[in-house]
Each structure stands twice: as C-alpha cells, then as structure tokens.
Amino acid sequence: MAAWSERLAGVRGVLLDISGVLYDGGEGGGAAIAGSVEAVARLKRSRLKVRFCTNESQKSRADLVGLLRRLGFDVSEGEVTAPAPAACLILKQRGLRPHLLVHDGVRSEFDQIDTSNPNCVVIADAGEDFSYRNMNKAFQVLMELENPVLFSLGKGRYYKETSGLMLDVGPYMKALEYACGIEAEVVGKPSPEFFKSALQEMGVEAHEAIMIGDDIVGDVGGAQQYGMRALQVRTGKFR
Amino acid sequence: MSGSRLRATSVMVRFVTNTTKESKQDLLERLKKLEFDISEDEIFTSLTAARNLVEQQQVRPMLLVDDRALPDFKGIQTSDPNAVVIGLAPEHFHYQILNQAFRLLLDGAPLIAIHKARYYKRKDGLALGPGPFVTALEYATDTKATVVGKPEKTFFLEALRGTGCEPEETVMIGDDCRDDVGGAQNAGMRGILVKTGKYRAADEDKINPAPYLTCESFPHAVDHILQHLL
C-alpha cells in the first residue's frame, strides 16, 4: 500500500478516456461500464481536477455528452477535449480546406470550416461511412494535390462496442498512407499536442496528471511518453 | 507466331499473370479467341497460387474476391471460415465486410493477399487496389499477410511446379519491370523486359540488378532465347 501512495504522489488531475473506460458504444447508445458512473462522481467529489480526453470522432461533443448524461454521467461539453475541434484549429491556423471523410454525426464540428475546393483530407472514425466509394474519393483528392496533406483524428486500431470489436480510423489512415505513399498527421491521442492542450485546459502539469485508458498505445503509452502517469483498465478494447 | 516458334523447341512454357478478376477458364477462352495456342494447365495465375496455399494450409477461406474469380476456388470449403483471402474486389471493401474479416484475423485466422497493388486505372481515374485494404487489416491486427502474386518469389517458384525446370533454367518475359522482371530475377530466373504494354521509358533503370535483357517485344525476346540461350 505504501508503494501505491508513493507512485501516486503529487497527482492533482485525472484525464479520463471515454470509450472503453466509462462506457461501450453500440445499439441504443451503448451501455455504461459497471461502476463507472459512480467512479466519476467520486472523482469529482475529491480534490482532484477531472477532464475527459477522448478520440471520439464519430459523434459531435454535444451528442457524446448528451449520450453520457443519459447514461447517468456527470459531464459537460466544456470538460471534454476531442479531436475534431483540435483539427479545426489546425486547419484555420494553416489556411487549409478539407475534404472530410467523416461520419455524418460529427460533421457539425466542422461547420465553421471552409470545405470548398479542398487542399487536404481529414479522416475520422467514419464507421459505416467507410464505403469503398468514400475511401476512393478521399484517395482521388489526395492524388490530385501537388502537396497531399492527410489529417487523421486518432490512429486507433479498433475499439469495443456492445456487439464486438470494430475497426477504428487507424487502419483506414494506413490504407490511404499506403495508397498515396504519404504519412498522415495525427490529431488526437497519442499526439503530444493533444495531451498538452488537455492539460492546459485542466490547469495541471504533466507530472501532476494521471491518464486512465483502455488503449495501451494511444492512452497509456501516449500519456506516459508525455510525462504523465497512466492506468490501464481491463475493460473496453483491452485483451 | 512467336509462341509456336518456342513450342517447336523442347522449351517448357508457362503463362503467368496477377489477374484477380478472371478465372483460368475465362482467361483461356480470351487468349484462344486471340488465336494463342495454350492449354489450361500452362496457365498459372495469382488466383491459382492463392488456391494452392489455401489447400496446403487446409483452411476454409472468407473469399474477398471478384465473383468472376470464384470458379478458381471451386471445391474449397468456405463456410465457417478460418482464413481470409483478399483480391481486387471493390464490392467487398466496405466497412461491414472488412470488419468481419478483421474479427476473423484477430482470432488468429491467416491473411492471404493475392497481391498488394496500391491502385489501378478505371475509366473515371485511379481507384484503390487491394493493397491499401490489406495494409489496413495488417495494421488493425498487428499481423502480416502472405502475398502470393507477383513479385513474390513463391509465385515464380510455384509457377515452375510440374515443369521439371529450375529457376536458373528459366526466363521470364514481362512488361512490368518491378513485378515481372524484378520478381523473377529475385527468384533466380533471367528476366527479359519488353517495351510493350505498361512499359515506360527508363523502366529498366528502376531495378537492381538490371534486367538480363530489355527488348522491343515478345517476338524479339523469343528471337534472343532461340539464338542465345538454347
């Protein structure tokens, strides 16, 4: 027990992954993972700062938060760091107009972005919208660009839904990388910029933060690489 | 003409191709219509290579191949699959089917790729080949596919089965410098690059070692073989 309090010394803030930690998505919105609603409540009652750090890119923050609240979680939009808004900032900064290979559910996050005459591609977890046709369109856009730029919202291999494991955006990102001979820029975990902005928003330094996640590479590995501590849960995609 | 000149000698002939959307029967009929004198057992395609591997490994494949390629898998059990075979099959490359394949692979099923072409030419421009989707599944499952078509060494060695010939006694004639000539030479054969079909100027500089010979066309290649290599 002494060993644990040493290892957790100085933790002032907790970053929580959402899918696979708090709930599993699926039919009817999905299901909360046993005990997670109460665990979040306990964290919020403690002196620790709490922030949600997700790679969710199939739904807008509003929809995601709505769903989580219906499952009983105490969470609000302002407490969530998600990749689509982060991508929008980058696009604006660099004057880029994206062709979006995304699920309709997240399109609203790009409402302020000019998507005419695209000069880059943004790929997210499009789920069922990863048709051959949509993939091919994104591929053709990239091949026509003198300087092909591809942003991927996360690069996870798969995630868990109530019906089973589902291909995530990562494999599709790799498909386009291979087809075009390019490398994507990842927006979201485990990119350092993403952790940096989550910590800034929480007002805590890396060495004072602990990340809880189900993805050993994206959540745990990424957080530890950034100088945080991290906890691996055996729910969600864990095998 | 050139084909029959070769036949007049004691040379064994094989016709090899990476096609994944024509069964051997279809290919044979098409070539016969063009007046080539060929028999079915002289044709070796990447589909044949895939079938051989499936039989060797005694697996039941989920076949993500063009419907027109299915006859080449006749007799192979495909229910309750424990392997995945991928060819050029855009109609199967949507989310639900790839997800099914992904779950099989995660459970330990082997992934057999007929080839890993990045893209191919369609009337409306370039279109994604099987390569990107094979790469996607490899990444998702942290495994490697066994690629059976050109330029894999195993393809060329398999093609020689039943001919009684060694790679060193074999010449490959093709228009694709990397896949035909490079692949064949890597398998120990001599490669002759012909300047027809998809050949583009200076292709012969793209591989190392360079092609054994680069010449104008198939008839010229046959000339060379008959004059210098017999």
Side-chain angles (χ1 to χ4, degrees):
Chain A
M1 288 303 119
W4 279 114
S5 55
E6 263 169 52
R7 295 173 78 182
L8 291 168
V11 170
R12 285 179 51 229
V14 181
L15 277 182
L16 297 177
D17 177 35
I18 294 181
S19 171
V21 170
L22 303 185
Y23 90 120
D24 289 327
E27 280 289 309
I33 288 167
S36 283
V37 171
E38 179 52 25
V40 171
R42 285 172 67 193
L43 274 177
K44 288 195 163 188
R45 287 197 294 266
S46 75
R47 286 173 306 164
L48 295 167
K49 296 196 180 188
V50 179
R51 190 160 181 85
F52 302 86
C53 184
T54 179
N55 267 4
E56 171 65 56
S57 65
Q58 237 193 71
K59 307 179 188 59
S60 63
R61 276 166 304 171
D63 287 346
L64 177 62
V65 164
L67 194 163
L68 290 170
R69 291 181 71 84
R70 279 192 298 280
L71 291 175
F73 288 98
D74 170 13
V75 54
S76 63
E77 257 184 81
E79 295 173 318
V80 175
T81 298
C88 289
L89 275 173
I90 296 176
L91 292 168
K92 284 205 188 111
Q93 267 165 25
R94 288 160 60 171
L96 291 168
R97 298 178 305 279
H99 169 85
L100 297 172
L101 177 47
V102 306
H103 195 272
D104 283 340
V106 80
R107 244 174 240 283
S108 58
E109 295 275 26
F110 294 92
D111 278 347
Q112 302 301 314
I113 300 289
D114 180 7
T115 56
S116 67
N117 194 24
N119 54 13
C120 72
V121 169
V122 169
I123 182 176
D125 171 18
E128 293 280 341
D129 285 339
F130 273 132
S131 60
Y132 178 81
R133 199 155 162 252
N134 289 345
M135 277 293 283
N136 212 40
K137 186 83 195 95
F139 161 69
Q140 287 174 342
V141 169
L142 287 168
M143 291 300 270
E144 308 252 299
L145 294 172
E146 232 184 88
N147 181 26
V149 172
L150 172 64
F151 293 101
S152 182
L153 303 194
K155 59 172 194 177
R157 290 156 59 198
Y158 52 84
Y159 55 84
K160 177 152 183 283
E161 280 202 343
T162 48
S163 64
L165 295 177
M166 313 290 287
L167 287 168
D168 197 350
V169 63
Y172 288 94
M173 173 196 84
K174 288 284 174 183
L176 289 176
E177 286 186 330
Y178 178 81
C180 305
I182 60 176
E183 219 180 289
E185 293 181 44
V186 177
V187 178
K189 299 174 284 185
S191 134
E193 290 74 30
F194 199 70
F195 288 116
K196 182 175 173 190
S197 74
L199 291 173
Q200 264 173 4
E201 279 155 24
M202 192 164 56
V204 152
E205 308 263 322
H207 66 274
E208 302 171 314
I210 189 159
M211 168 91 207
I212 302 178
D214 65 330
D215 186 322
I216 187 74
V217 171
D219 298 331
V220 177
Q224 291 186 160
Q225 281 262 326
Y226 194 70
M228 291 185 252
R229 276 161 279 190
L231 275 174
Q232 167 80 47
V233 288
R234 293 199 193 104
T235 49
K237 72 176 73 165
F238 174 82
R239 278 158 61 90
Chain B
M1 277 301 130
S2 305
S4 38
R5 283 191 295 145
L6 267 183
R7 288 220 187 280
T9 70
S10 56
V11 165
M12 297 287 299
V13 181
R14 284 289 179 273
F15 302 89
V16 296
T17 172
N18 254 6
T19 185
T20 64
K21 51 180 166 63
E22 259 181 313
S23 65
K24 252 205 251 191
Q25 252 320 104
D26 289 345
L27 186 57
L28 188 62
E29 273 163 34
R30 195 156 63 85
L31 292 171
K32 280 196 166 151
K33 272 200 196 120
L34 295 170
E35 305 203 353
F36 283 99
D37 165 29
I38 296 183
S39 69
E40 202 184 324
D41 55 351
E42 290 175 318
I43 298 180
F44 183 77
T45 73
S46 45
L47 288 170
T48 320
R51 188 209 169 93
N52 289 353
L53 188 58
V54 164
E55 282 174 335
Q56 242 177 66
Q57 293 191 350
Q58 297 185 309
V59 288
R60 300 177 303 275
M62 174 185 186
L63 292 171
L64 299 187
V65 302
D66 195 296
D67 281 348
R68 290 166 292 180
L70 288 175
D72 279 358
F73 291 92
K74 201 164 131 198
I76 302 277
Q77 252 234 61
T78 55
S79 56
D80 186 27
N82 58 3
V84 176
V85 170
I86 303 196
L88 175 57
E91 69 275 24
H92 294 313
F93 293 159
H94 50 265
Y95 189 77
Q96 273 213 24
I97 303 245
L98 285 177
N99 211 45
Q100 261 177 56
F102 155 68
R103 288 178 183 181
L104 280 176
L105 296 172
L106 213 53
D107 278 341
L111 176 57
I112 297 172
I114 300 193
H115 61 78
K116 278 189 78 169
R118 287 164 198 249
Y119 49 81
Y120 66 107
K121 258 207 197 131
R122 278 198 317 205
K123 272 174 254 157
D124 65 332
L126 297 177
L128 292 168
F133 296 96
V134 171
T135 304
L137 290 172
E138 287 179 322
Y139 174 75
T141 57
D142 197 20
T143 59
K144 277 260 160 265
T146 304
V147 184
V148 298
K150 294 181 281 178
E152 295 299 309
K153 195 176 187 171
T154 48
F155 176 84
F156 294 97
L157 299 178
E158 272 282 312
L160 287 181
R161 246 208 296 174
T163 61
C165 300
E166 296 297 314
E168 296 69 35
E169 302 170 314
T170 309
V171 180
M172 168 76 194
I173 303 172
D175 64 333
D176 186 321
C177 196
R178 279 209 187 90
D179 281 5
D180 295 336
V181 178
Q185 294 193 155
N186 186 46
M189 303 177 180
R190 285 186 181 86
I192 297 182
L193 179 63
V194 288
K195 292 183 181 176
T196 51
K198 70 172 76 149
Y199 173 84
R200 281 150 58 108
D203 270 353
E204 58 270 27
D205 300 329
K206 293 197 180 130
I207 59 168
N208 185 17
Y212 160 80
L213 178 70
T214 301
C215 63
E216 288 310 302
S217 68
F218 174 47
H220 291 86
V222 171
D223 281 342
H224 177 94
I225 293 172
L226 295 178
Q227 272 175 49
H228 301 282
L229 293 179
L230 291 188

